[in-house]
Amino acid sequence: LLEKNAGHINSYVGDAVFAWWPADGADAGTPVRNALAAIEAWRSQSPVEFRVVLHHGAVLFTRSERGEELSGQEVNFLFRSEKIAKTFGTLTMLSQAAAHTLQFDGRCATLGAAPVEGLQGRFVFFGAPHALDA
């Protein structure tokens, strides 16, 4: 579902799938919205419960013995946010940057604010909007 909607799977980390989308074009959020809608539509058929956490930010592409890797503060923010989704008891969580970039402003329920390990301050997180039209 990710790749069918222009996503690039970068790695499998433990039980997580880490994917990214290019941020070029007038509405780079459309493929991400389409992927999220497809994932949420498929969720009821999944044999296991899973969480989706989305964030938007700049990343660094580096090469290592494991191939191309994404790194940087925004990647750290995303990985550490997954734990926050679990504490909020939500299966789909968006950072404030993701909600804004995906043009979900005003359409998402606020889950709450929480500190992110290693970063200063508290960050607001949102659930997915009820209607996930692209």
Side-chain angles (χ1 to χ4, degrees), residues 17 45 125:
V17 175
Q45 301 168 40
F125 295 95

Side-chain angles (χ1 to χ4, degrees), residues 9-19 66 68-70 75 78-80 82:
I9 295 175
N10 179 255
S11 61
Y12 299 92
V13 181
D15 61 353
V17 175
F18 184 57
R66 293 180 290 186
E68 186 175 70
E69 294 187 44
L70 276 69
V75 173
L78 176 64
F79 277 115
R80 293 171 182 165
E82 192 275 334

Side-chain angles (χ1 to χ4, degrees), residues 97-132:
H100 178 72
T101 300
L102 297 175
Q103 300 173 354
F104 289 158
D105 293 324
R107 296 178 46 203
C108 297
T110 303
L111 297 173
V116 175
E117 181 185 337
L119 300 175
Q120 294 291 327
R122 295 174 63 81
F123 300 86
V124 178
F125 295 95
F126 300 88
H130 293 291
L132 280 169

Side-chain angles (χ1 to χ4, degrees), residues 30-49:
T30 296
V32 182
R33 286 191 303 273
N34 290 342
L36 183 58
I39 290 167
E40 293 301 324
W42 179 75
R43 186 181 288 283
S44 65
Q45 301 168 40
S46 174
V48 296
E49 190 173 74

Side-chain angles (χ1 to χ4, degrees), residues 51 53 78-88 93 117:
R51 239 183 314 284
V53 179
L78 176 64
F79 277 115
R80 293 171 182 165
S81 295
E82 192 275 334
K83 292 177 187 174
I84 295 167
K86 185 175 182 180
T87 63
F88 282 144
M93 185 176 85
E117 181 185 337

